[in-house]
């Protein structure tokens, strides 16, 4: 994967006079030149508002926007582009489902199952919904090594369970949750299944039909695409029955002051001018990773993760969180006697970018008995040399305390 580094101009810059070692990929990935070029090209040579224009540029921009939808459809193997809704990102996708699915399908007393390792964006929207609907949230616990307790999961189902929402990959533990199996269990109990793919779509092949999930969410910026664009996949028959999330242009068929009818899918959920520059650049990013091969990327990142886990486990005072054998691209840790914020700050001075804090997963921090953790996370362009640099830098920090 070394040869792909040259596609990412930012990786050759220096910080504090040192080569940048970028290990904050779970927060956002760096962008290959082709993605940045796609944004520039869109603005320099195609820019026009989509869908309503009769003129040449508008038609070309519309074609690109809709071609991007088809690229996303192919990438996640959705059945139809009607099932691909462009949003601002995972967070907006999850809010859309909580709000709209909640409106159509959830009644007082109905239950939604979440897991203890959910990102805040898969917790708070459901709590907001609780202000409108007296729904009950049930939480799947986990084992000490960071696996969901599937027996406890099965026991959470009741005749009122309507939906399960689960991170495909934990942004803290790196645990790859057994989504296919969990979705089957949900379906056996008459419930639907949402997979939060924010941390899986950038790292492995994600096929919504194979996983048999009813909803999937992900963010463009975590899969080498631009910020501000993301995706909600939803089964067409469900989306058909869900009300619009926001109102405005694009999402209507006909408006009078007395009555408004809505556009067909997926436009019903896309009020206002869409991010057609972002959708085009996201498609370029997905084509880029597809050309490399998601399976190759996954294999490379799993190797890096296993290498990092092994090397870091050997550091005295090291506490690693999430030790599932086939975990993915994320290593969260604490070093005895060093606050993670201090560690992050010191590593930064050595040119190494990691993330520290609660990682938008405070219930998970509470489960692990800590306020925060340090986290290194990997992408296709990272190398074992960079992990060696991380380990050497941690050792150096340890000696300072
Ligand atoms: N879900 C998971 C598992 C995440 O890791 C993240 C971001 O880190 C999100 C949701 C939210 O993504 P975004 O901030 O791009 O909406």
């Amino acid at each position: 994967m070394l040869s792909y580094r040259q596609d990412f101009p930012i990786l050759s810059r220096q910080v504090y006079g040192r080569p940048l070692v970028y290990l904050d990929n779970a927060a956002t990935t760096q962008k290959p030149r082709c993605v940045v070029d796609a944004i520039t090209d869109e603005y320099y040579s195609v820019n026009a508002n989509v869908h309503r224009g009769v003129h040449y540029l508008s038609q070309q921009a519309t074609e690109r926007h809709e071609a991007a939808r088809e690229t996303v459809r192919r990438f996640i193997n959705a059945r139809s582009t009607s099932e691909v809704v462009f949003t601002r990102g995972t967070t907006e996708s999850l809010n859309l489902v909580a709000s709209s699915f909640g409106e159509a399908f959830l009644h007082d007393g109905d239950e939604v199952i979440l897991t203890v390792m959910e990102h805040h964006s898969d917790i708070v929207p459901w709590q907001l919904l609780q202000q409108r609907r007296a729904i009950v949230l049930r939480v799947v616990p986990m084992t000490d090594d960071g696996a969901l307790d599937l027996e406890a999961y099965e026991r959470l189902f009741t005749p009122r369970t309507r939906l399960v929402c689960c991170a495909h990959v934990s942004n803290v533990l790196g645990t790859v949750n057994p989504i296919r199996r969990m979705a089957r269990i949900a379906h056996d109990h008459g419930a639907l299944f949402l997979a939060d793919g924010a941390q899986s779509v950038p790292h492995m092949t994600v096929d919504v039909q194979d996983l048999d999930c009813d909803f999937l969410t992900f963010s463009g910026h975590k899969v080498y695409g631009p910020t501000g664009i993301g995706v909600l996949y939803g089964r067409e028959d469900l989306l058909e029955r869900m009300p619009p999330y926001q109102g405005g242009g694009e999402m209507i068929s006909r408006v009078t002051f007395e009555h408004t009818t809505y556009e067909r899918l997926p436009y019903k959920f896309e009020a206002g001018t869409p991010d057609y520059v972002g959708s085009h650049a996201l498609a370029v990013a997905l084509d880029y990773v597809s050309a490399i091969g998601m399976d190759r990327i996954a294999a490379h990142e799993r190797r890096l993760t296993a290498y990092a886990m092994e090397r870091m486990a050997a550091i005295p005072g090291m506490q690693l969180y999430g030790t599932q054998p086939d975990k993915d691209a994320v290593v969260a840790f604490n070093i005895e006697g060093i606050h993670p914020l201090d560690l992050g700050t010191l590593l930064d001075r050595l040119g190494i970018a990691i993330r520290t804090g609660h990682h938008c997963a405070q219930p998970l921090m509470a489960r692990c008995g800590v306020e925060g953790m340090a986290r290194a996370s990997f992408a296709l362009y990272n190398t074992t040399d960079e992990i060696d640099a991380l380990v050497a830098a941690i050792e150096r920090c340890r000696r300072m305390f």
Side-chain angles (χ1 to χ4, degrees):
M1 293 287 163
L2 203 56
S3 61
Y4 296 106
R5 283 182 74 85
Q6 67 202 27
D7 296 339
F8 295 81
I10 205 170
L11 296 179
S12 55
R13 71 160 288 181
Q14 300 212 325
V15 290
Y16 310 111
R18 294 169 180 276
L20 170 69
V21 175
Y22 185 77
L23 300 176
D24 193 18
N25 295 286
T28 199
T29 50
Q30 299 302 347
K31 316 305 168 199
R33 197 183 301 275
C34 59
V35 167
V36 182
D37 287 350
I39 295 168
T40 313
D41 176 58
E42 185 82 6
Y43 279 123
Y44 278 162
S45 49
V46 181
N47 182 50
N49 207 334
V50 291
H51 290 147
R52 291 174 302 257
V54 290
H55 60 82
Y56 185 89
L57 288 187
S58 176
Q59 288 182 18
Q60 201 176 359
T62 304
E63 270 166 31
R64 280 192 173 184
H65 184 59
E66 293 307 322
R69 202 186 301 277
E70 168 58 19
T71 302
V72 173
R73 186 208 64 73
R74 213 178 324 116
F75 194 73
I76 59 172
N77 195 28
R79 288 168 203 83
S80 150
T81 48
S82 300
E83 300 184 317
V84 176
V85 178
F86 284 122
T87 63
R88 284 194 300 121
T90 306
T91 301
E92 189 175 47
S93 300
L94 290 166
N95 275 278
L96 191 165
V97 175
S99 175
S100 174
F101 178 86
E103 186 72 32
F105 288 89
L106 299 181
H107 303 99
D108 291 355
D110 283 345
E111 298 176 11
V112 173
I113 295 179
L114 308 176
T115 85
V116 69
M117 59 180 81
E118 291 317 294
H119 189 279
H120 293 164
S121 62
D122 195 24
I123 300 173
V124 184
W126 299 106
Q127 293 174 331
L128 290 175
L129 179 64
Q130 280 180 316
Q131 295 169 9
R132 290 190 280 134
R133 292 274 196 286
I135 59 163
V136 178
L137 300 179
R138 300 199 177 275
V139 181
V140 187
M142 69 175 205
T143 58
D144 287 339
D145 58 354
L148 289 177
D149 179 342
L150 290 189
E151 284 177 15
Y153 170 57
E154 286 230 51
R155 286 196 300 273
L156 289 180
F157 285 90
T158 75
R160 299 300 303 266
T161 310
R162 299 283 175 259
L163 179 69
V164 177
C165 301
C166 178
H168 190 176
V169 173
S170 161
N171 66 315
V172 176
L173 307 167
T175 306
V176 183
N177 289 315
I179 292 300
R180 194 183 296 106
R181 185 167 159 208
M182 291 176 74
R184 188 170 355 101
I185 293 170
H187 293 151
D188 287 348
H189 286 85
L192 298 168
F193 194 90
L194 178 151
D196 171 359
Q199 299 294 345
S200 60
V201 168
H203 301 290
M204 61 187 76
T205 301
V206 174
D207 177 329
V208 291
Q209 294 190 58
D210 178 50
L211 294 175
D212 202 15
C213 52
D214 303 293
F215 297 103
L216 175 85
T217 57
F218 71 93
S219 299
H221 70 96
K222 292 186 197 287
V223 61
Y224 311 98
T227 52
I229 184 102
V231 170
L232 168 66
Y233 156 80
R235 249 179 46 203
E236 190 165 353
D237 58 314
L238 297 172
L239 294 179
E240 283 290 4
R241 292 161 65 194
M242 287 160 52
Y245 172 54
Q246 294 181 332
E250 295 273 337
M251 51 75 72
I252 52 87
S253 167
R254 185 171 166 73
V255 178
T256 65
F257 279 110
E258 289 71 39
H259 183 65
T260 290
T261 51
Y262 307 127
E263 253 292 16
R264 63 192 151 86
L265 290 176
Y267 311 108
K268 181 174 85 174
F269 292 107
E270 296 180 352
T273 298
D275 183 1
Y276 53 85
V277 179
S279 63
H280 171 59
L282 171 61
V284 170
L286 297 183
D287 283 343
Y288 175 79
V289 289
S290 298
I292 297 172
M294 288 312 293
D295 292 346
R296 272 180 76 205
I297 292 172
H300 170 71
E301 293 175 348
R302 296 286 168 100
R303 267 196 306 276
L304 279 183
T305 308
Y307 180 73
M309 290 293 284
E310 190 185 321
R311 290 233 44 206
M312 289 171 73
I315 298 174
M318 172 65 70
Q319 170 76 52
L320 292 165
Y321 302 96
T323 50
Q324 289 294 294
D326 56 352
K327 66 181 262 166
D328 192 75
V330 183
V331 178
F333 60 99
N334 271 318
I335 310 273
E336 202 183 340
I338 313 182
H339 192 282
L341 186 60
D342 292 335
L343 183 67
T345 307
L346 288 168
L347 292 182
D348 176 52
R349 287 282 155 176
L350 298 171
I352 299 174
I354 62 160
R355 188 150 291 249
T356 64
H358 55 63
H359 309 292
C360 296
Q362 284 179 339
L364 178 59
M365 297 298 121
R367 166 64 179 81
C368 297
V370 294
E371 284 286 318
M373 299 173 185
R375 180 187 75 182
S377 52
F378 312 124
L380 67 91
Y381 40 66
N382 288 123
T383 65
T384 50
D385 284 351
E386 290 181 307
I387 290 167
D388 291 342
L390 170 69
V391 170
I394 294 173
E395 291 282 18
R396 190 166 157 188
C397 296
R398 268 189 65 243
R399 287 195 293 275
M400 292 166 66
F401 275 80

